[in-house]
Amino acid sequence: MKPAPNAVSSSIVTRNMADFSIESGNVYEAISVISKRANQLSIKLKEELNDRLAEFASTVDNLEEVFENREQIEVSKHYERMPKPTSLAIEEFLEGKLHYTTPDPVEMPLARELF
């Protein structure tokens, strides 16, 4: 059964932006932290997938000998069904599982002090 054309994906969640600024008071800082964590998760998942798919790599470059490998398809489908790295990073952030520090801002001399 196909989903209705106007059905909303289950991966789409409405978020309250105020929830992101509770810890630091800065939404932009929170989004930056979440973004960096999502990139870390994405790299890790991609490495895992590549390692698992490397088992199925063929040394033959002949297009006629391409065949369907059910195990390879199942591995790929498994990774496709997994939650997206951004969703995982958001959940980690909102649950307080991410620990980060921000460097102290460097004091810039005033323009009149430069001359």
Side-chain angles (χ1 to χ4, degrees):
M1 180 175 181
K2 291 185 179 181
N6 293 331
V8 177
S9 171
S10 63
S11 65
I12 297 175
V13 178
T14 303
R15 302 279 183 181
N16 183 354
M17 294 304 288
D19 293 344
F20 293 116
S21 62
I22 289 173
E23 186 174 325
S24 67
N26 187 336
V27 173
Y28 301 104
E29 183 178 308
I31 298 300
S32 177
V33 169
I34 291 168
S35 170
K36 289 176 183 181
R37 179 61 178 151
N39 285 335
Q40 290 174 341
L41 293 171
S42 177
I43 290 169
K44 179 182 162 193
L45 286 172
K46 187 172 182 176
E47 288 173 354
E48 287 177 12
L49 176 61
N50 287 337
D51 289 344
R52 291 193 61 189
L53 292 179
E55 301 170 9
F56 306 107
S58 171
T59 57
V60 179
D61 289 335
N62 188 351
L63 291 178
E64 294 174 6
E65 296 186 23
V66 173
F67 61 95
E68 205 174 271
N69 186 330
R70 291 207 182 279
E71 289 179 59
Q72 182 178 4
I73 292 170
E74 289 303 316
V75 168
S76 296
K77 284 183 179 180
H78 170 74
Y79 279 89
E80 287 175 6
R81 286 189 298 263
M82 291 178 71
K84 303 296 181 223
T86 305
S87 298
L88 294 173
I90 290 171
E91 290 303 320
E92 287 179 1
F93 182 83
L94 294 176
E95 292 172 5
K97 294 180 180 178
L98 294 183
H99 302 285
Y100 62 95
T101 59
T102 54
D104 292 331
V106 178
E107 290 187 23
M108 295 291 294
L110 297 174
R112 60 181 144 84
E113 294 177 4
L114 291 175
F115 297 103

